[in-house]
């Protein structure tokens, strides 16, 4: 926690910093409670996990709590308030579009999920961002109290505050990684998944519970894909090693996803408990830094040629829809009043087809264009 060496910084820390430390303590207590509930079977494993909980690097989540409960947040909130109060509707809409664009880039990892809502999150946020830019371009200035203060606040926010926060975040991440390993965060995430499944294992007949377990396993698989790739430990030019580590991370993620089938087809509590034992075995391998043990039962990945073929098969239908959306003014018979709405529909359906790999893309094109031509 970094504080300003001034009376203002001391007051800010007294108001906000103590809350941030309480949040961290509460998170650690939740991990300790989870370790007490799950059947680890070894005191040494419990001790290793407690150490990993102290060392773990939570990335954005930990930095988010530090940002919210510390005076650091004011370097962003104050310029933003200045823009809203002293600026017009166009400037506020522009900043809203900018924030949604940033959210679209941050949410890229949701594309790795095999969950419908997660896959739809990026196109929906991107659609809102595109609408925000369109509204910012077409909106009028509105009520402007002080354009000079509004412009100064916007410049301070975009070219001053955000750079400072990004610099602080990168510095904090670097300091955290000097004493933590990517395996620590993944091991603690797996502990929470095992705790949830173990605590509700007697409810294996309930479809909602099983679906919730599968969603947690999917989140853990995506986390494994990011953590086990170890991108920040490898030079960007060493593409061979980066590709090898990424393939291994994808194999471990597929091994985690295989447990979803065992949970969905479970016929007794013992089937669920076998999944829990397998996950605890993986946690043990993580805290022991035994990467080879994680890959023992991991399935092989399909060849690069087949993966490239599958990628092209997924991209082409969506690209066709997006291309039709761009070429709508050239298609005769479409009323001008329906052109804008049709373009947005085709863009959304095209993005959804790319993300969901839907085989019914041609049917979507016929349905949308048929309705337009019949008007």
């Amino acid at each position: 926690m970094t504080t300003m060496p001034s009376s203002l910084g001391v007051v800010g820390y007294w108001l906000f910093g103590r809350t941030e430390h309480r949040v961290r303590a509460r998170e650690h207590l939740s991990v300790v409670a989870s370790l007490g509930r799950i059947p680890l079977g070894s005191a040494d494993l419990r001790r290793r996990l407690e150490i990993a909980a102290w060392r773990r690097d939570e990335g954005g989540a930990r930095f988010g709590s530090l940002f919210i409960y510390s005076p650091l947040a004011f370097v962003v909130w104050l310029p933003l308030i200045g823009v809203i109060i002293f600026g017009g509707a166009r400037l506020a809409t522009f900043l809203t579009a900018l924030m949604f664009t940033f959210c679209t880039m941050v949410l890229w990892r949701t594309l790795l999920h095999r969950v419908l809502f997660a896959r739809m999150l990026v196109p929906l946020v991107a659609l809102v961002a595109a609408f925000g830019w369109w509204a910012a371009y077409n909106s009028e200035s509105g009520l402007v109290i002080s354009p000079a203060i509004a412009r100064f606040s916007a410049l301070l926010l975009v070219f001053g505050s955000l750079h400072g926060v990004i610099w602080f975040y990168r510095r904090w991440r670097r300091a955290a990684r000097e004493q933590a390993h990517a395996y620590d965060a993944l091991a603690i995430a797996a502990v929470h998944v095992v705790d949830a499944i173990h605590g509700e294992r007697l409810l294996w007949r309930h479809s909602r519970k099983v679906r919730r377990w599968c969603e947690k396993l999917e989140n853990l698989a995506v986390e494994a894909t990011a953590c086990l790739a170890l991108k920040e430990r490898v030079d960007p030019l060493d593409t061979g090693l980066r590709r090898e580590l990424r393939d291994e991370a994808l194999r471990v993620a597929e091994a985690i996803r295989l447990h979803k089938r065992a949970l969905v087809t479970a016929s007794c509590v013992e089937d669920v408990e076998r999944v829990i034992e397998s996950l605890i075995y993986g946690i043990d391998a993580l805290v022991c830094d035994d990467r080879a043990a994680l890959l023992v039962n991991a399935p092989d990945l399909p060849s690069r040629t087949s993966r490239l073929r599958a990628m092209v098969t997924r991209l082409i239908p969506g690209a066709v829809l997006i291309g039709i959306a761009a070429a709508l003014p050239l298609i005769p018979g479409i009323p001008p009043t329906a052109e804008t709405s049709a373009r947005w529909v085709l863009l959304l359906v095209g993005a959804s087809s790319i993300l969901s790999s839907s085989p019914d893309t041609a049917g979507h094109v016929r349905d949308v264009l048929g309705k337009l031509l019949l008007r």
Side-chain angles (χ1 to χ4, degrees), residues 116-139:
L116 180 60
F117 176 76
R119 282 285 184 88
M120 290 298 297
L121 194 59
V122 169
L124 289 177
V125 175
L127 186 64
V128 173
F131 177 77
W133 288 112
W134 175 82
Y137 177 78
N138 292 282
S139 64

Side-chain angles (χ1 to χ4, degrees), residues 29-52:
L29 288 176
S30 68
V31 173
V32 173
S34 298
L35 294 177
R37 289 189 294 262
I38 62 179
L40 294 176
S42 171
D44 180 66
L45 177 57
R46 178 187 175 93
R47 181 182 59 83
R48 288 176 177 271
L49 284 170
E50 289 178 349
I51 295 174

Side-chain angles (χ1 to χ4, degrees), residues 108 226-236 242 245-246:
W108 70 269
C227 292
L228 297 179
L230 303 176
K231 290 183 179 180
E232 299 189 359
R233 299 170 68 95
V234 184
D235 190 277
R242 290 173 71 93
L245 293 176
R246 184 176 64 251

Side-chain angles (χ1 to χ4, degrees), residues 63 163-177 232:
F63 182 80
H163 287 185
V165 172
I166 293 173
W167 173 83
F168 184 87
Y169 174 72
R170 293 178 63 87
R171 181 182 177 185
W172 180 85
R173 290 269 290 186
R174 192 180 304 114
R177 287 196 173 95
E232 299 189 359

Side-chain angles (χ1 to χ4, degrees), residues 28-252:
H28 182 73
L29 288 176
S30 68
V31 173
V32 173
S34 298
L35 294 177
R37 289 189 294 262
I38 62 179
L40 294 176
S42 171
D44 180 66
L45 177 57
R46 178 187 175 93
R47 181 182 59 83
R48 288 176 177 271
L49 284 170
E50 289 178 349
I51 295 174
W54 281 110
R55 291 187 317 214
R56 65 176 171 170
D57 174 18
E58 292 183 354
R62 176 65 62 85
F63 182 80
S65 64
L66 185 149
F67 180 82
I68 293 173
Y69 298 112
S70 71
L72 179 65
F74 284 107
V75 302
V76 172
W77 300 135
L78 289 179
L80 190 59
I81 291 172
V83 171
I84 295 174
I85 294 177
F86 299 100
R90 174 174 293 180
L91 190 55
T93 308
F94 169 78
L95 287 177
T96 303
L98 189 66
M99 286 189 291
F100 274 100
T101 303
F102 176 75
C103 291
T104 304
M105 294 185 295
V106 170
L107 293 172
W108 70 269
R109 194 186 289 186
T110 60
L111 299 177
L112 302 176
H113 284 76
R114 297 177 186 176
V115 178
L116 180 60
F117 176 76
R119 282 285 184 88
M120 290 298 297
L121 194 59
V122 169
L124 289 177
V125 175
L127 186 64
V128 173
F131 177 77
W133 288 112
W134 175 82
Y137 177 78
N138 292 282
S139 64
E140 299 180 357
S141 299
L143 180 61
V144 179
I145 298 177
S146 177
I149 296 179
R151 293 192 188 98
F152 175 77
S153 299
L155 291 175
L156 184 63
L157 178 67
V158 176
F159 298 104
S161 301
L162 293 182
H163 287 185
V165 172
I166 293 173
W167 173 83
F168 184 87
Y169 174 72
R170 293 178 63 87
R171 181 182 177 185
W172 180 85
R173 290 269 290 186
R174 192 180 304 114
R177 287 196 173 95
E178 290 178 357
Q179 56 184 343
H181 197 281
Y183 294 170
D184 296 332
L186 184 59
I188 301 305
V191 165
H192 289 299
V193 174
V194 171
D195 184 29
I197 299 176
H198 180 264
E200 301 172 345
R201 66 190 184 281
L202 298 178
L203 304 176
W204 60 271
R205 294 180 183 275
H206 295 200
S207 300
R208 176 187 288 182
K209 294 296 182 182
V210 175
R211 186 166 183 172
R212 181 169 172 266
W213 297 345
C214 293
E215 289 176 355
K216 288 183 176 295
L217 285 174
E218 182 63 33
N219 293 334
L220 182 63
V222 174
E223 189 74 15
T225 304
C227 292
L228 297 179
L230 303 176
K231 290 183 179 180
E232 299 189 359
R233 299 170 68 95
V234 184
D235 190 277
L237 293 180
D238 195 350
T239 56
L241 180 57
R242 290 173 71 93
R243 188 183 305 113
E244 180 181 352
L245 293 176
R246 184 176 64 251
D247 290 345
E248 291 179 356
L250 291 173
R251 290 179 59 197
V252 175

